[in-house]
Amino acid sequence: MATPYEFPNDLLAGQEELHQVRAELSALLKRLPWSVAPMDGFSDDTGWRKVERPASPGWTEDEQAEVEKLRRREHELAVFVSTHRFWAEVAAPDRVEIRTRLKHAPERTEE
């Protein structure tokens, strides 16, 4: 498909924010302990590979609230982007390719 699409500004903004929220959530989850609740460490080498985890102090209430807030916003943005009225204008066979173009669209410059 060679037809270029002009994405509406609100759709581009929603996609950009979705990328940002997902990056922020991913970075937060990498920093947090592996278990939400306090858990003892363990080591298990009876399976096909050895699994080890250090003791986890768990997440604080603030950390849990931040993860929940980001997950909720991620969901809202994913719904907004995927159900945007723009998609009704795109032929069904072309939607996957155009959706991919939106995901990789360069960041907008503020006017």
Side-chain angles (χ1 to χ4, degrees):
M1 147 152 266
T3 307
Y5 278 87
E6 290 289 327
F7 295 110
N9 285 336
D10 64 332
L11 181 56
L12 283 169
Q15 182 63 55
E16 285 179 30
E17 187 179 351
L18 181 57
H19 284 313
Q20 292 166 358
V21 167
R22 284 181 171 160
E24 190 176 337
L25 178 59
S26 177
L28 176 60
L29 291 172
K30 285 178 184 175
R31 286 192 313 268
L32 292 175
W34 63 270
S35 175
V36 177
M39 298 281 286
D40 292 334
F42 65 90
S43 179
D44 181 6
D45 59 1
T46 59
W48 64 276
R49 68 176 186 172
K50 186 174 184 175
V51 178
E52 290 184 308
R53 296 272 191 221
S56 172
W59 297 359
T60 66
E61 287 185 19
D62 288 345
E63 290 168 337
Q64 291 179 44
E66 182 66 16
V67 169
E68 179 60 29
K69 181 182 95 173
L70 289 170
R71 285 182 172 156
R72 191 175 308 115
R73 185 63 182 150
E74 177 187 30
H75 181 261
E76 291 168 357
L77 289 164
V79 169
F80 171 78
V81 169
S82 63
T83 62
H84 194 278
R85 67 189 175 283
F86 170 79
W87 300 114
E89 302 169 14
V90 178
D94 300 331
R95 287 185 188 144
V96 171
E97 181 178 340
I98 302 305
R99 176 73 181 105
T100 300
R101 287 185 188 186
L102 174 64
K103 286 181 180 181
H104 299 285
E107 289 189 16
R108 294 178 310 132
T109 56
E110 294 300 321
E111 298 165 14

